[in-house]
Structures are given as C-alpha cells and as structure tokens.
Amino acid sequence: MDALLLTLKLAFFSTVILIIIATPLAWFLAHNTFKGKFLLEAIIALPLVLPPTVLGFYLLIALGPNGPGGFIAQLWGDRTLAFSFSGLLIGSVIYSLPFVVQPLQNGFSLIGKKPLEVAYTLNASFKDAWRTIIFPLAKPAYISAATLGFAHTLGEFGVVLMIGGNIPGETQVISIKIFEQVEALQYQDAHVLSAILLGLSFLMLTAIYATRKSANKTGML
Amino acid sequence: MDALLLTLKLAFFSTVILIIIATPLAWFLAHNTFKGKFLLEAIIALPLVLPPTVLGFYLLIALGPNGPGGFIAQLWGDRTLAFSFSGLLIGSVIYSLPFVVQPLQNGFSLIGKKPLEVAYTLNASFKDAWRTIIFPLAKPAYISAATLGFAHTLGEFGVVLMIGGNIPGETQVISIKIFEQVEALQYQDAHVLSAILLGLSFLMLTAIYATRKSANKTGML
Amino acid sequence: AMFARSHLSHADTINVAVAANFKQTLQALKTPFEKTTPHRIKIISASTGQLLQQISQHAPFDIFLAANTAHPQLLWQHIHESRDLGLDALAVYAKGRLVFFSRTPLSEAVSLEQALTNKMFTRISMANPKLAPYGLAAQQSIECLTSDTYWREKSVIGQNVAQAFQFIDSNNVDGGFVALSQVLNKDPGNISVIDEACYDDINQMALRLNNQPASLAFMTFLQSTAAQHIIRQNGYHLP
Amino acid sequence: MNLELTFSLKKGRFQLNANTQIHWQQPSTHVIFGKSGIGKSHLLRCICGLENPTGVISWHEDHNHVHWLDSERRMNMACHLRPVTMVFQDNQLFSHLNVEENLRFAFDRATANEHDWQHCIDALKLRDLLSHQVQQLSGGQAQRVALARAILSKPKLLILDEPLASLDWQSKQDVMDYIKRLNHEWQLPVLYVTHDIHEVLTLADQVIMLHDKNAMTQVQTPRPLIDILQDENHPFYGLGKSSILIAHNTQHQQDGLLHCQVGEQLMRLPIAQISDKGASLSSKEHTHPTNLKTVAEENKLRLCIAANDVSLALSEAKDSSIVNTLQGKVSRIEQTTSGQYLIQLKVDDQYLLSEISAYSFKRLNIEMWQPLFAQIKGVALQRCR
Amino acid sequence: MNLELTFSLKKGRFQLNANTQIHWQQPSTHVIFGKSGIGKSHLLRCICGLENPTGVISWHEDHNHVHWLDSERRMNMACHLRPVTMVFQDNQLFSHLNVEENLRFAFDRATANEHDWQHCIDALKLRDLLSHQVQQLSGGQAQRVALARAILSKPKLLILDEPLASLDWQSKQDVMDYIKRLNHEWQLPVLYVTHDIHEVLTLADQVIMLHDKNAMTQVQTPRPLIDILQDENHPFYGLGKSSILIAHNTQHQQDGLLHCQVGEQLMRLPIAQISDKGASLSSKEHTHPTNLKTVAEENKLRLCIAANDVSLALSEAKDSSIVNTLQGKVSRIEQTTSGQYLIQLKVDDQYLLSEISAYSFKRLNIEMWQPLFAQIKGVALQRCR
Ligand SMILES: Nc1ncnc2c1ncn2[C@@H]1O[C@H](COP(=O)(O)OP(=O)(O)OP(=O)(O)O)[C@@H](O)[C@H]1O
Ligand SMILES: Nc1ncnc2c1ncn2[C@@H]1O[C@H](COP(=O)(O)OP(=O)(O)OP(=O)(O)O)[C@@H](O)[C@H]1O
Ligand SMILES: [Mg+2]
Ligand SMILES: [Mg+2]
C-alpha cells in the first residue's frame, strides 16, 4: 500500500511542520496587540477560501520554474519544487495552517500569561515553563489543532493532486486514489480503500480522544 | 454574479446551521464525561479524512432515492435531496462540522462552569446566563468557529460539485466556477474571479478580526 | 532528479499522463506493452486540463494521453521547439462514443427525444460542455435531436463524464449522456447509442513529450493493431 | 426566618452531613466557623443549589414554607430560583464585563432601587472603580466588587464566604457596619464564613460550627455567640475567651461617657470605644456618630469583653485609670492547657470571664465563691436586640 | 542584605514611585503595609521582574551587588534569574498538576533538600493533600500549597502577598512560626504584605508603608516596627497603638514564669503567654515548647504591648491579678481624635504607650513628667535579635 504509507507520511510530516510553525505564530498572535494584527490573521485564514484545486493551481505556478519555488529548487539543480514530496508538504502546510493556528491561538489566549509568570518566579526559564506548564495546559488545543490538521491533510486532495502530479509511489496519496477509483467506477475498490482509511482514522482519533479524556480528568477543565 | 451570491448564501446558511448544531453539541461534549464520549468525538471528526469528492459520492448515495435523503425528499414528492440547495447545505454542514465543534468545545472547556454558577446565584436563568455570560466569554471561540466554517464552505467544492450537480443559479457556486475556468484554460477570468473572492473574504475576515481585537481588549483575554 | 533519468538503460519507466476517462483502457494496454517491450509504464491520471497545467510546469511526464485534441495541440505549439518534437509527436489514438444511458429501458412510448423533453425524466445528467468533450458532444446531440430547450432546466452537470455516470448510477437522475466505454457491461436495453452525425468527433489525441526510446516505443505500440484491438474492445472507435 | 438543613453530600473522600435548623429571630448575621478544609464552602454551595446533595433543604419565612431541595420527592429548585446570593471565596467576577457592568448584571435582575445602588457603591467605596476592567482590580477591590454585586441582587438570604479576607482594617470596619445596616434596614439575614475572630465578635449573632466526626464533616446546631463564649467544651471557647454582658439603662452623659448598668452596677463606656473597638488592641480612630445614635436610642447594649482584658483584684482600686470595676463572685475556676487560669465571675445573673496567670492566681489565693473585683480594660460594644 | 528600589511604574492612571532601600540586618520579615488598591501587589511584581518599570532595582548580599534592573543601561534581569519567589495573592496553582506535582515543580528547580521538603510539608500540614487535584482544594488549603511551593523553591528573598488571608487562627499561628524559623534557619529574608495587624505585630521587623501622594503611590523608607508604634504621625500609629519593649536577662523560673528585666525593673511573663498571645484577646491553647526553648536561650526578648492593655495607676496595686507593673514618667500626652488619651511613659530609656479614657485622664489628673505605675495585662512576646 504505497499510497497509504505515503499519505500517512505526508499527513504526519505536515502536522509536525504545522505545529512547529503554528506554535510561535499563535503564541505571538495571542499575546501581542499591534497595528495590523487583524490583517495578519486574515492572511493566514485566506488560503481557506480558495477552492483547493485553484489554490493548487496557483501553488503549482509558485512552485514551478517561474515562481519562487523554482528558484529554490535550482539551488540543488532541480527546476521545480512541484511533483515532489517536499512540494506536497508545502502545499498541505499552507492549506491547513488556519486550522492549526486558530485553536492554538484561542488556547493560548484563554490560558493567559499568569501561569507563565508563576513559573518564572519559581525559577523556570521560558523554555522550561513552556514545556512543563504552557504546553500541558494547552494540550486540548494542541490535540484539536493536530487532529484537524492531520485529518484535513488525509482528506485533502485538490491541492495535492495539482502540485503533486499524482505519480504512483511518489506523490499519489490515498485520497487521490480513492477519488480515481470512484471516477473510474471501481466502486468496490473505492469502498475498500475508504473503509481502510476511515477505520484507521477512527482508531487514531479514538486513541487520541481517549487519552485526552483522561487528561481532562486530571487537567485544567 | 449568480454564483457569487449563491456561494455567499450557502456559506452563510451553512455557518448559521453549523453554529446552531455545534453549540449544544460542543457544550455537551465540554461539560460531560460519559463512556464512549471519545467515540462520538471521533465520529464528528471523521468526515474530514475522506476526500471531499469521495465524501460527496457517499453523500450522493445517501441523499438519493436509495438513501435516507430520498425518503425525506419523497415527503414532498421529490426523489432526491441532491441537486438542490438543501442538499448542498447538508453536505457543507457535515463536512465542516468538526471545524466548528472543536473550537467551541475547547472554548467552553476553558471557560468552565464557574461563571455560570455565579450567574445562577445572581438570579440569572440558564438561558439568560448563557446569552449574557457564556456567549460573550466564548466569543473568540465563536469567531474562530464561524470564520473557519464560513471560509471552508466558500472554498470547499468537492462535495458541492458532487451533490450539487453544478446547476447555474441553483447549485453552481463560485469555487466551481473558478475551477471550471482554470480547467478551460481561461486563466484571465479565473484570476479575476479568484481576486474577487479573495478580496471579499479578506475584507470580511479583517472586519471580523478587527472587531475581535477590540473585544479582546475589554474581554477576558 | 527525475529529469536526470539515465538514457543508457534500455529498460526505462515512463510516466504516462492520461485523461481520467481513458485510464482503465490504458491499464488494459499496460500488460501487452510491458510484455512486448522492455519498458515499464506508470499511469498518472487527472483531468485533461490539470494535466496540461502540470506539464506546462514541467511535470515529469513522458506521454500525454488527452481526452481532446485542443489541449495536446496547444501544448505542442508551446514546447515543440524547446524539446525538439516533430509533428509526429501528436497522434489521435481513439475516438469516444456517446451514449444515452437510462435506469429503465427506453421504449417506443418514451423515445430518446421524449426523455429529453417530457417531465417523466425529471433530471438528466451530462458532463460539463465547457470542460469535457463528452459534455460538448452531449449538448450537440441534444440540439440535434430536439429544438425544445426544456432540457436545460433539467440537466445536471457533472464535472466530467464519470460524474455524469455516477449521478445515474446512484439513482439520483433517470438517465444521461455518458461514454460507451463506461457502460460496456451494463444491460444493453438501457443504452441508446447516439448517432455519430449528431456530434463532432470526440478525438482523443496523444502527445509524446520527449524523444526517449521508451516514449517512442509507447507511441508505436499505441498505434499497433494489438493495442487498437483493446481500445476498440473498451468502447472506442478508432480514428 | 428559618433554614432547615437535613442532607448529606459526598464528594470523593469528603462527606458533609447536616441535620439542623438555622433560625433568625430577627434578620442578623450568623457565622459559620470551622477549620480550613472542613467543608464550609461546600455547605454554602449546597444551600445555594450548586451542589446536589441528598436530603431536604427548606426555607421558612412569614408562614411561607418553601422546599428548595427534597430528594425523596425528586425536587430540586434551580439555583437561580432560590432567593439566595453568595459571594464566592475567590470573588469570581465576570471577566468580560467591567466593574459597573458586573454590578448592573446583579442589579438588573433584582428589585434593588436607585437609592440602594448609590448607597451600596458609596458604602463599599466603589465609585472611582466603576469604569475599571476587573482584571485591573487589586485583591481588595475585587473583593468589594463581588460583595457589592451580591448585595445588589437583593436576595432574601445573603451568603458570604470570607468576604473581607483581603481588606484593610478600615475597609473591614466599614463593610461590617454596612452589613449590620443591611440586617436592619433590608431585614436581610446573613450567613457568614470567616476565620477572623474579630469579625465573629463584631458580627455574629449565632455561631454554626462545622466539625469532624468519624472523618465526616458534621454541621452543628447554631448556638448564640454569648452562650458559646461561656462554654468551655466548645472549641470556640479557647479561641474566643471572651464573655458578653448585656447592659441596660443606657444614658449618654455629659462627661463624654456612656453610662449603663450591668445588673445594679454602673459601667462607664468611653464614647470612643463604642462600636469601634472590636475585641482587640486594634482600635479605630474614628467613631461613627450615626451608629452611636442608633445604639444609644435602644436601651440595651451588648458588651463584648475579652477574658484577658479583665484583671481581678481583692479590693477596688481607686487611683487607677481603669474606669470599670464590677463586683462578682467566683463561679468557676479552670486551668487552661497552657497553664493559665480562667476564672468565671458571676456578676448578678450574668457571667464574666477573666484570664490570669498561675502566678497571680496563687498570689491572690482565689477560691470558689470568693467575692472579687473585676477590672475591665477593653470593651467592645454592639447594639443588642 | 539590601534591596535598592529606585524606579517608577505607570499603568493607566495608576503610578507607583519607589526611591528607597530595604535593608535586612539579619534575615527577618519586613512587612509592606498600605490600604487596599494602593499598589502593594504591583510593587512586589516589580521586584520579581513581572512588570517593566523604569529605574534601578539592585540586590546586595555579602559584598555581592547585582543589578536586577537598570533602565539606563537597558538591562533587565529576567524574572526566573532573580533569586526571589513570590506567593501571589490569588495563589495561582498550576491547574494541570496535582498538589505534589505543584510542589515538585518548585522543588526540582531549587536547592532545597529532602529534609526541607518533609519539614515544609509537615509545617504546612500538607501531607494528606499531596495527591489532591488543585481544583478540589479549599481556599485555605490552596493558600498553604502556594506558600509551600514558594518556600520549596528556596529563594534568597521570599515575597508573600497576603499569604494567610484565608487561614484559620491555628493555621495562621503555625505558619507564622514556620516563617520565623525560615528567617532564622535558612537565613531567608521575607517581604510580607498583610492587612492583619496581628500578623504585623507577630512578624514584622520593619514596616514599609505605601501611601498616596499627589495621586501617585509612594513607597516610604522602611522603619523599625518599634519606632513606628511610637510615632504619632505615622498612619500606622492609630492602627497599631502598641509599643515594644526590649527585655533582657531572661530567666526561666520555677514558678512557671519567665523573669526578665526592662531596664532595672522586673517583669514576670506567664509561660503560656510566650509566643502564643499575639496582640489580642485571641490567645492560643497550646504552647510550643520548642519555640519557647529557642526564645529562652537568647537572652533578649521583644515584648509587644497593646496600649489598651496598659492601665495607669498613681500607686502600685498590691492585691490585683496584674502581675507586671512598671514605673515610669509621663513623657507625652496626646488626645486621640476619638477623644481618648494616649499617654507615653518613659520607662528607663524605653517608651510605653497607654490608652486611657478622658474620664480616667481627668480623674487621675495626669500631667507631664508625673511618675506613674503602668499595669500591664497582655503581653505578646517574640524572639528578639
Ligand atoms: N471533588 C472532590 N473530591 C474530594 N474531596 C474534595 C472535592 N472537592 C473538595 N474536596 C474536599 O472537601 C473539603 C471541603 O472543602 P471546602 O472548600 O468546603 O472547605 P472550607 O471549609 O471552605 O475551607 P477553607 O476555609 O479553606 O475555604 C476539602 O478538604 C477538600 O479537599
Ligand atoms: N492596567 C491597569 N491600568 C490602570 N490601573 C491599574 C491597572 N492595573 C492595576 N491598576 C490599579 O493599580 C492599583 C494597585 O493595585 P494593586 O493590586 O497593586 O493594589 P494592592 O495594594 O495590592 O491592593 P490589595 O490590598 O487590595 O490587594 C489599583 O488601584 C488598581 O486599580
Ligand atoms: Mg472555603
Ligand atoms: Mg494586592
């Protein structure tokens, strides 16, 4: 199951990158007020409103030889960032960013700065306090953000189809495969693949939520 | 601009319905622990992991004469709920539900039951307290939920394409139109339409976020 | 890295980008091709438009099997100089056939024309005339069959011919215009083949995107009788 | 007014049992007392309807008898329908509203009028704070806002959970005076949790003890403060070590003293001490003339006297600054665990406590029923009904 | 140890100016005092590094001189690098950790050892609570946990913002004893905010007043408690009305009394009163033998005497339960705003305050430099360094 593995890989790395990017961004947005903050927030949410294939089209151009992506790709001798795993990653990350930033931003806002201040007075550095206090307190937000990001990457295929090129074993993810099977009227295969995808996702989601439940019990809520 | 109006109408009604459905659901999930809660949560998130067109395909079957949708449609003499505005609404709502439930659930959890208890002691009924205390406190979560839901409906087109049948003026939304133009290599038109969509969304998002900013200032954060 | 594929190897893998409607037929062609030549193929399918956009952004495809002739020709004009492609890089490889497929057999009581115009068939589906050649053909056929314009109100547009079929198959519409290749194993009673005079030829054109031996070999194979036999079996005419 | 509590609440290992009646003869302040973590806050939450105990809670007022909770009949009146308001230990202001909006929230849902509003804001010194965000308030300011909010919801029973803990001395005094006025003017009974003995002595009419019994918290029957201060078996006794005398025939004299009688004996109270000296060394600078007037009008006073403000002498001192000397007989002698002696003196038909050192006890050679002179230094005075 | 504060902080309409040095001769407890909302909590936050004032804050200890803040040189040491820990007014426990984990958080980042841990948990009676969720704690329990957490982070300066506000009497006593031990055993200086005069009298070495000046809050120079209690211009004076005498030559006598000398005159202190009577009527049942021992070992005692525990007499009473009589001369006569008289007595080279009524004042006909006998009832005793 090349496609399944590839999909999981893409979803996993997208989620990791999203969390890494979104954390400082959300923290910054939650704890600072500055002129034009709302502009930044709107820009982050903007990729959402374009149809995925159209967004994919623009990304394709941006990643291609005439866009910034091509410029970057030339650094190691390629002509384009599209049609590669890294291209897919970039697309997924841009597309899912708001789903990850917003829950985190809300979480950070509601937690406020007080716990951090207390941790400081108890000799914890920012990094330390962040790891031991803020992150655990924001765990529900992180779980939300990660599941939304992960699931969305799993299901998303417009962008991926466009900038990935649907190359089997390379950029063909499972959602495209199911899509193709439905298009090709291979309903049986599509049902099976959908069932596998749903089953896996369901297992994963229940595992996450079950953990969260016990976290809640002991946690802040 | 039929398509634009239709799109806005769909996004607006979807968002309204989503908020109406998600509010009690999120409240219930935030304030109750019961066996199998995590299952319910997983099920809500599940539509996310299917590619939109595939989800659309299954919805098409569900809405059709052989599914529950057909049964309902027969009540007023139709054979299917597909290819109608109400069908589109159902699809959008199912697809965007997790984006709306999760921010609200997190918000409600973080607010906790204390403010409600205080309002009770001050003679406010549940309804009153909800309107005057919980809702304003959860405003950032609502804004997140509504913008994510709205933007996602704007951009989403896989499901809509599948169950809408792309009937101009009825189920042809703007995202499909842009998609068509890109497919038909009418890039100029696509650019213009995309720009309009982005511009409008940008205006709307900045308006919302700018309001939220001042809410923050006086608010709980 | 994908462009740095070795030219020295005799056994190459080529990427064949195919319009979604021809994908199954291509799969049927894959085995004989791989048996008769040392080469392997990878099948990449999407809509013709998407493939065009990807190729113009240097997607690593070797062969482009489009569902129309306009897109490959347009592409050829843009790239033939830089890639040193002759006119022989283009070739029509199949000709689609339009049928009307309905849930119930059309009888004398309900002719095709009536199905299009009366209220018994509340909805009919077809592919998007702006995007899909089958859509355009469907539109032409209707206009050829009837002067009534009521069909416009009851038509449901699928993005491509596959969706047009799904609308029927899921019982949401009573019938619609689809490709013969999609309904080969359905009850022939439900199928009415449309007179080919009613619509322009649905010529499907292939474009070879480079001059590698494997690509050349595939183009040759596509026009071989063995291949043509399979293509015909799958519901297509030959040019 | 009468509050019947017959219920039990279980929360993890914590269990609370109540089986008692809390009765207000007239609207006054009853204090709930018990050590930290015993369950006072939970008791209050049960009364408000914020917890779900099993049993009966009912409220009687003017021949009206309302069941707030009756588990057997499966009835549980919703919190917002019960005419009680509570100030939470941690204030719990609404963070999205400013100070005025917080107050208005309660005011708009109650029958308090504009005059009450103005008066409450002035009494709790909130006028300058009205436009503040609640996040900007200091600890004491927030506490006063929470109190004002509860008062402005004009309940029939006001429940306060340590409402003065972070106020300064002067504010505490003012707020306590205000609470006493509410008792009187609004006919508002108050249930009050505090650890501060000074607040108890100033405010309490009756005291409700919570204590530990077989690892369960038991709510005791309320007892008048006067009783408790004399009961050596009451845990409060060691803490309070005060006695209360009822004086009558109050007369305001020209010499700046208030004269009154305890039995047949005259006492002279410096005006400054009236209503200003709680129970300790910490006396206040300013008297409240208004308060004094109401006190003087009624002809009975309650004098709260700390046992160690009372020294004993065999003869009456003539040249001492101690103004008040009461003659009495030793009615109980008791050695405290800390080695001192607590002497109970019968003064006419009332009792006065004096705490003296073992050294003095020996030196004066005190015996039962021996006549003695009690010299009283500090006196806290409250209006008595 | 020395804390230099020269800064100003502006927040909206609130402004705080500090220009003073806080000095600890030995590690002891300095109290910050001021009315509600004056800016005490903000002052503490500035010291901790949680606010961003302009000016200089520096810390001197054993020839080490560290700048924590120096706006001119654009340096501002991060909060977690400053060796101070603060207990916030609203506790602020970490809600995702249980009690033990909250404590461990501090413990793991500090140099306290296992013995300190055990001792702290016992002193603050937290052993039974270790596994509790912080949401389940009562107000007083939460406060003790917050205090323990701060102590276990073993700072070089401990800052407490009303840490005992919701504790019961007994717990308050225990905690104050513990804080005094920390002063001594850990050589830990403490800055302490409280409104409770009893806590001030029990703990304070020096007092730092915050007061209002031109609508700005000004931090006053710290002054020894003893001084302040005698300074009629100090706002504290009216509140405290107490004096402090230093006694020496302490000797534990067979008769259950502690003998000591004030100047040449003998005082006899009942053992029970040692370290148990704060400043008010509310004395505690149990003595702390350990505490007493440490007190007796050092040969100096600090006696805290409330002005209204002191009565005056023209002659020495012989048959009274009042054990302690000191002879002195009237060194100041002052009428308080409430119409009473505050008499300052010079006893050898120390000063003692007595509050008496106008009536007594007239009756005894008190004049300046007249010799008088001061009869002292209550005495609060603290170890003096
Ligand atoms: N969910 C729970 N499970 C188990 N024990 C609990 C729970 N909630 C509270 N407790 C315990 O119940 C007891 C009573 O708490 P409560 O807040 O009523 O005390 P309190 O008398 O108000 O104390 P304080 O004076 O310190 O505020 C505490 O010992 C607390 O630890
Ligand atoms: N952001 C702000 N803008 C304006 N004023 C503020 C702001 N934050 C706090 N204040 C004001 O600063 C003053 C000082 O507050 P602080 O909490 O330091 O008082 P405090 O002395 O600790 O009082 P308490 O004893 O009641 O706790 C208060 O009057 C408060 O209203
Ligand atoms: Mg409590
Ligand atoms: Mg404060």
Side-chain angles (χ1 to χ4, degrees), chain D residues 60-71:
Chain D
H60 311 236
E61 191 183 11
D62 308 335
H63 308 293
N64 274 330
H65 181 125
V66 190
H67 271 73
W68 289 351
L69 173 81
D70 189 341
S71 318

Side-chain angles (χ1 to χ4, degrees), chain B:
Chain B
M1 294 292 286
D2 269 1
L4 185 59
L5 274 183
L6 182 72
T7 306
L8 291 178
K9 193 173 132 193
L10 178 67
F12 176 75
F13 282 109
S14 296
T15 310
V16 170
I17 293 174
L18 278 167
I19 292 285
I20 291 173
I21 294 179
T23 296
L25 197 58
W27 181 263
F28 179 75
L29 288 173
H31 287 307
N32 291 282
T33 37
F34 51 93
K35 255 192 197 169
K37 174 180 170 183
F38 59 101
L39 290 179
L40 182 57
E41 290 181 280
I43 288 170
I44 292 171
L46 219 47
L48 263 185
V49 304
L50 281 184
T53 43
V54 176
L55 180 68
F57 172 67
Y58 288 120
L59 278 176
L60 189 64
I61 295 172
L63 294 178
N66 307 327
F71 180 78
I72 294 169
Q74 272 172 8
L75 298 180
W76 56 85
D78 260 351
R79 53 178 296 175
T80 173
L81 277 181
F83 318 123
S84 66
F85 186 71
S86 27
L88 284 193
L89 267 184
I90 294 173
S92 296
V93 165
I94 290 176
Y95 190 50
S96 297
L97 195 60
F99 298 126
V100 180
V101 171
Q102 294 219 354
L104 292 187
Q105 186 182 341
N106 285 340
F108 292 151
S109 288
L110 281 173
I111 291 167
K113 280 201 164 171
K114 285 266 169 89
L116 200 61
E117 290 186 350
V118 178
Y120 285 160
T121 66
L122 299 172
N123 301 337
S125 65
F126 177 75
K127 227 175 94 186
D128 181 1
W130 217 96
R131 197 172 47 79
T132 51
I133 303 299
I134 302 299
F135 180 71
L137 283 176
K139 216 166 166 187
Y142 269 98
I143 289 176
S144 250
T147 49
L148 288 182
F150 192 90
H152 199 246
T153 311
L154 278 192
E156 205 290 303
F157 87 116
V159 174
V160 167
L161 189 67
M162 205 63 180
I163 61 182
N166 195 12
I167 304 167
E170 228 171 298
T171 57
Q172 185 186 56
V173 296
I174 199 164
S175 53
I176 299 183
K177 208 157 173 185
I178 301 177
F179 168 73
E180 267 181 13
Q181 288 169 342
V182 171
E183 285 283 273
L185 313 183
Q186 299 164 346
Y187 294 144
Q188 273 314 323
D189 296 349
H191 293 336
V192 170
L193 216 48
S194 295
I196 292 176
L197 186 61
L198 282 177
L200 265 181
S201 314
F202 187 74
L203 279 182
M204 212 157 48
L205 288 173
T206 50
I208 292 170
Y209 290 133
T211 335
R212 173 166 75 168
K213 197 183 120 208
S214 60
N216 267 9
K217 234 192 254 161
T218 63
M220 62 186 313
L221 306 183

Side-chain angles (χ1 to χ4, degrees), chain D residues 11-14 34-43 89 161-162 195, chain E residues 129 132 135-141 166:
Chain D
K11 256 196 157 179
R13 268 165 45 207
F14 168 70
K35 67 177 203 288
S36 175
I38 193 83
K40 300 179 293 298
S41 300
H42 274 84
L43 175 64
Q89 204 167 356
D161 198 351
E162 301 188 32
H195 290 301
Chain E
L129 298 177
H132 274 51
Q135 290 83 355
Q136 300 176 358
L137 295 180
S138 78
Q141 289 167 341
S166 46

Side-chain angles (χ1 to χ4, degrees), chain B residues 53 57 60-61 63-66 79-83 161-168 170 172 176 179-180 182-185 187, chain C residues 47-50 52-53 56 71 74 103 122-123 128 130-131 152-153 155-159 163 166-167 169-174:
Chain B
T53 43
F57 172 67
L60 189 64
I61 295 172
L63 294 178
N66 307 327
R79 53 178 296 175
T80 173
L81 277 181
F83 318 123
L161 189 67
M162 205 63 180
I163 61 182
N166 195 12
I167 304 167
E170 228 171 298
Q172 185 186 56
I176 299 183
F179 168 73
E180 267 181 13
V182 171
E183 285 283 273
L185 313 183
Y187 294 144
Chain C
S47 78
T48 304
Q50 282 174 332
L52 171 79
Q53 286 149 14
S56 62
H71 283 31
L74 183 70
R103 303 282 316 165
T122 42
R123 292 262 186 217
N128 192 333
K130 284 185 213 153
L131 305 181
R152 283 184 195 279
E153 274 157 55
S155 61
V156 174
I157 316 283
Q159 212 49 65
Q163 281 190 5
Q166 281 158 11
F167 292 153
D169 197 49
S170 64
N171 211 358
N172 279 290
V173 301
D174 305 292

